[in-house]
């Protein structure tokens, strides 16, 4: 990690770098472009983007069940559907970036949409808080038009994230030369520190933004996020003279068109018994991409478990005792700072202690292979959701023992500190699994399709959110039939989130078995850099 802690510049600047230019198309030198000096601009921008997004998503279920009046099941399904969309949109964003706009211009488009989206959501929440501002005779409850405007703003933010997320980390990694030893080491390390920096922003967002939203006003909380995104946009533009842009070869085929041709070549080589060396070379790129698909599919259950941290974990915390430090009651969304705080503690331990220790044992410069790292994260998430089931079963028992089953507004006399282990375990799981997925899908894709590789990683959480949403809706319908209480009934003291968590534990166990089978037979691309 020593080589990654400061801007890494070659002492001998041997002339313009090959294949890269500045924003104006001029040649650039190593001493005046790229490296940590450029990556830090992008890092600040992307951390601010994550801060703002978590300022919406961390407390979104509270807003939906509060000012907008949704039921628990409807709100959880809506949050999962939105987060799923936000995580799937990067597939479209990566297509635009890799084929047309490039990563720099894609980030410009994303932050334009961010400022517009956060401005709209600020206005929408202000209208719900002060409906009389629309004129006399307006019902105090949120009208369908106001709700529609809020969701339009919400999904505009999802679109902005779809353009931004596959490009930000890839653009930061692009600032390091993979053929320069020190810069190559920095590029590997940036995935860990990217996650660390995002967690730092998330910690502040969970505490500060959620507190402002619930105690000062939702409009004020969202308005501050809009101002932050505008300031962040300006910071990104200031860094423009230092950025390295990859030069597009005139007349070259777009990366996705090239992939389509390689897939066609692969189909022809399989249907033909003759040897065609040229066709085989073209088809190999398609094989490299297709080998990622089974691994991607085996990771989806992990995305389903992650979806619960923002929704059902949050609802659990709202029913429990949250007073500390002389009676101060903090918002349930602030519990998620436990996860982000765990990341802040564990990433340096992983990078400075675990990696050097494992390096001596495994002989791998990274300590673990990317697939080993992902698998360990899956094991920890399985343990976390199993623990969540046990804690919820205890919470229900405490509610029964104190006669609170029929009092949904009562605070169950059980400290929310019981939730701390499951939040921390999911955070540690993310340091292994999510960071491992980032690096794996970036590294194993062809160079020209690395935005798409990161979009593939982001889509795991997206499709996991959709699966979670569909699963919750289906279980809610089945368990509430015949007049019975749903597992997700609004009165959580009559619900059975513990049953749902056990179901997720079973799905995670099945996923783990499939993943281990696939990982043992996977052959890495770029084997020299993996070994």
């Amino acid at each position: 990690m020593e080589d990654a802690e400061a801007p890494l510049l070659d002492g001998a600047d041997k002339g313009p770098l090959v294949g890269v230019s500045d924003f104006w198309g001029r040649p650039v030198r190593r001493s005046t472009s790229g490296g940590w000096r450029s990556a830090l601009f992008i890092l600040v921008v992307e951390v601010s983007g994550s801060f703002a997004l978590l300022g919406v998503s961390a407390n979104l279920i509270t807003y939906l069940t509060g000012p907008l009046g949704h039921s628990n099941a409807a709100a959880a399904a809506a949050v999962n559907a939105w987060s799923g969309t936000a995580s799937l949109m990067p597939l479209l964003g990566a297509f635009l970036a890799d084929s047309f706009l490039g990563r720099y211009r894609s980030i410009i488009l994303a932050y334009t949409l961010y400022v517009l989206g956060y401005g709209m959501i600020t206005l929408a929440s202000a209208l719900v808080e002060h409906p009389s501002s629309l004129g006399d005779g307006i019902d105090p409850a949120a009208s369908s038009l106001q709700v529609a405007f809020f969701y339009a703003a919400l999904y505009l933010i999802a679109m902005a994230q779809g353009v931004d997320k596959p490009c930000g980390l890839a653009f930061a990694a692009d600032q390091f030369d993979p053929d320069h030893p020190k810069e190559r080491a920095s590029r590997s390390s940036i995935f860990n520190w990217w996650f660390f920096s995002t967690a730092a922003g998330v910690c502040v967002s969970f505490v500060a933004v959620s507190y402002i939203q619930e105690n000062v006003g939702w409009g004020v909380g969202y308005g501050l996020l809009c101002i932050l995104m505008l300031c962040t946009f300006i910071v990104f533009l200031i860094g423009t003279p230092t950025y390295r842009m990859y030069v597009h070869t005139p007349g070259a085929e777009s990366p996705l068109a090239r992939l389509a041709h390689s897939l066609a070549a692969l189909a022809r080589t399989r249907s033909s018994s003759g040897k065609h060396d040229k066709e085989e070379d073209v088809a190999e790129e398609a094989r490299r991409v297709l080998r990622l698909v089974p691994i991607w599919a085996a990771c989806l259950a992990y995305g389903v478990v992650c979806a619960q941290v923002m929704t059902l974990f949050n609802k659990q915390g709202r029913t429990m005792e949250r007073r500390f430090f002389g009676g101060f009651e903090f918002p349930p969304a602030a519990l998620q700072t436990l996860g982000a705080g765990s990341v802040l503690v564990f990433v340096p331990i992983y990078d400075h202690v675990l990696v050097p220790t494992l390096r001596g044992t495994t002989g791998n410069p990274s300590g673990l292979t990317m697939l080993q790292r992902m698998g360990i994260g899956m094991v920890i998430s399985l343990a976390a959701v199993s623990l969540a089931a046990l804690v919820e079963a205890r919470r229900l028992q405490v509610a029964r023992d104190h006669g609170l089953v029929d009092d949904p507004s009562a605070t169950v006399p059980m400290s929310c500190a019981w939730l701390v282990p499951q939040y921390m375990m999911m955070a540690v799981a993310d340091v292994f699994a999510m960071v491992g997925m980032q690096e794996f899908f970036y590294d194993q894709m062809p160079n020209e399709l690395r935005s798409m590789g990161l979009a593939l990683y982001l889509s795991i959480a997206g499709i996991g959110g959709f699966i979670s949403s569909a699963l919750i809706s289906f279980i809610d319908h089945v368990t509430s039939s015949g007049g019975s209480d749903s597992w997700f009934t609004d009165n959580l003291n009559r619900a059975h989130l513990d049953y749902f968590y056990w179901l997720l534990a079973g799905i995670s166990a099945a996923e783990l078995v499939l993943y281990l089978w696939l990982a043992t037979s996977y052959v890495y691309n770029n084997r020299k850099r993996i070994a």
Side-chain angles (χ1 to χ4, degrees):
M1 176 61 195
E2 290 82 8
D3 291 334
E5 291 177 343
L8 302 167
L9 306 174
D10 200 1
D13 200 357
K14 299 179 181 179
L17 296 174
V18 177
V20 295
S21 68
D22 66 8
F23 174 72
W24 296 274
R26 300 174 301 196
V28 298
R29 295 176 179 271
R30 192 180 309 280
S31 62
T32 57
S33 71
W36 281 102
R37 74 167 62 77
S38 299
L40 287 175
F41 277 108
I42 307 167
L43 192 66
V44 167
V45 169
E46 293 302 311
V47 168
S48 297
S50 297
F51 175 98
L53 187 70
L54 267 295
V56 172
S57 62
N59 224 13
L60 182 57
I61 194 167
T62 301
Y63 187 80
L64 295 180
T65 55
L68 293 194
H70 291 16
S71 67
N72 282 340
V79 172
N80 286 334
W82 173 73
S83 61
T85 301
S87 297
L88 280 178
M89 288 300 293
L91 293 171
L92 175 60
F95 169 76
L96 292 174
D98 287 340
S99 299
F100 302 107
L101 297 177
R103 287 162 194 158
Y104 175 84
R105 290 180 177 84
S106 293
I107 296 173
I108 295 290
L109 173 60
Y111 275 81
T112 302
L113 295 177
Y114 272 141
V115 172
L116 179 59
Y118 284 107
M120 288 175 60
I121 205 170
T122 300
L123 177 59
S125 59
L127 292 176
V128 172
E129 287 180 342
H130 305 288
S132 60
S133 62
L134 297 179
D136 294 335
I138 300 297
D139 191 292
S143 70
S144 58
L145 182 60
Q146 291 166 336
V147 172
F149 188 70
F150 179 85
Y151 274 103
L154 202 60
Y155 278 87
L156 185 60
I157 293 172
M159 289 177 59
Q161 178 183 268
V163 180
D164 172 43
K165 289 304 178 184
C167 299
L169 180 52
F171 190 52
D174 287 346
Q175 304 309 307
F176 300 97
D177 182 358
D179 295 323
H180 186 273
K182 291 184 178 181
E183 290 197 15
R184 183 171 65 246
S186 292
R187 194 181 76 169
S188 178
S189 184
I190 199 173
F191 290 95
N192 285 332
W193 293 99
W194 183 278
F195 204 69
F196 174 90
S197 300
T198 301
V202 166
C203 273
V204 180
S205 181
F206 282 148
V207 175
V209 178
S210 61
Y211 182 83
I212 291 171
Q213 287 169 343
E214 295 197 40
N215 294 277
V216 179
W218 291 93
V220 175
Y222 290 138
L224 291 175
L225 298 180
C226 182
I227 294 171
L228 173 67
M229 297 309 287
L230 182 59
C231 294
T232 297
F233 195 3
I234 295 171
V235 169
F236 180 75
L237 294 175
I238 291 173
T240 297
T242 74
Y243 299 147
R244 294 176 186 171
M245 315 281 183
Y246 279 87
V247 177
H248 177 70
T249 304
E253 190 175 39
S254 77
L256 291 179
R258 189 171 125 191
L259 177 60
H261 289 162
S262 66
L263 288 170
L266 178 61
R268 287 193 295 270
T269 58
R270 289 185 173 181
S271 62
S272 173
S273 58
K275 291 186 177 181
H276 306 280
D277 292 338
K278 187 175 181 180
E279 286 276 275
E280 281 290 339
D281 291 341
V282 175
E284 180 58 28
E285 188 169 276
R287 292 192 184 95
R288 290 175 60 187
V289 175
L290 291 177
R291 281 198 293 265
L292 301 179
V293 175
I295 299 293
W296 171 83
C299 294
L300 292 178
Y302 185 88
V304 177
V305 175
C306 287
Q308 313 317 315
V309 176
M310 295 290 186
T311 55
L312 299 180
F313 282 18
N314 190 319
K315 295 300 293 185
Q316 278 180 284
R318 182 164 289 276
T319 69
M320 301 169 75
E321 180 58 58
R322 291 178 280 116
R323 293 188 181 276
F324 293 94
F325 308 116
F328 173 74
E329 184 177 41
F330 59 89
L335 285 169
Q336 294 173 59
T337 58
L338 297 168
S342 299
V343 170
L344 294 179
V345 172
F346 191 69
V347 165
I349 293 174
Y350 182 87
D351 215 53
H352 288 287
V353 179
L354 285 181
V355 169
T357 301
L358 291 169
R359 186 184 294 141
T361 303
T362 64
N364 188 305
S366 299
L368 298 169
T369 67
M370 291 174 281
L371 289 173
Q372 288 171 342
R373 183 173 184 171
M374 291 158 59
I376 291 172
M378 292 178 185
V379 171
I380 297 173
S381 73
L382 169 59
V385 76
S386 300
L387 179 62
L390 294 172
V391 170
E392 176 61 9
R394 177 176 173 79
R395 190 194 68 82
L396 291 174
Q397 184 60 52
V398 171
R400 286 192 291 269
D401 291 345
H402 289 80
L404 301 176
V405 171
D406 295 315
D407 188 358
S409 62
T411 298
V412 176
M414 176 177 171
S415 173
C416 64
W418 282 84
L419 301 178
V420 170
Q422 66 197 57
Y423 275 105
M424 294 180 66
M425 290 172 70
M426 283 304 303
V428 173
D430 280 349
V431 172
F432 281 99
M434 300 300 279
V435 179
M437 290 175 197
Q438 282 181 349
E439 187 173 4
F440 177 77
F441 288 107
Y442 176 88
D443 184 85
Q444 296 295 289
M445 287 289 277
N447 292 343
E448 300 84 357
L449 289 172
R450 281 177 166 164
S451 293
M452 186 62 70
L454 287 175
L456 203 60
Y457 144 73
L458 290 167
S459 71
I460 290 170
I463 294 180
F466 278 122
I467 294 172
S468 176
S469 178
L471 193 60
I472 288 173
S473 296
F474 174 74
I475 292 174
D476 182 59
H477 174 73
V478 171
T479 57
S480 63
S481 61
S484 301
D485 287 323
S486 164
W487 285 7
F488 308 100
T489 187
D490 290 347
N491 180 359
L492 285 187
N493 295 335
R494 285 192 169 276
H496 271 294
L497 298 185
D498 54 335
Y499 293 172
F500 181 61
Y501 291 152
W502 282 123
L503 175 63
L504 293 183
I507 294 173
S508 296
E511 167 214 35
L512 183 60
V513 171
L514 174 63
Y515 174 83
L516 291 174
W517 178 66
L518 292 170
T520 53
S521 60
Y522 183 83
V523 178
Y524 284 100
N525 304 318
N526 308 317
R527 291 183 64 93
K528 290 182 180 180
R529 289 197 285 123
I530 302 299

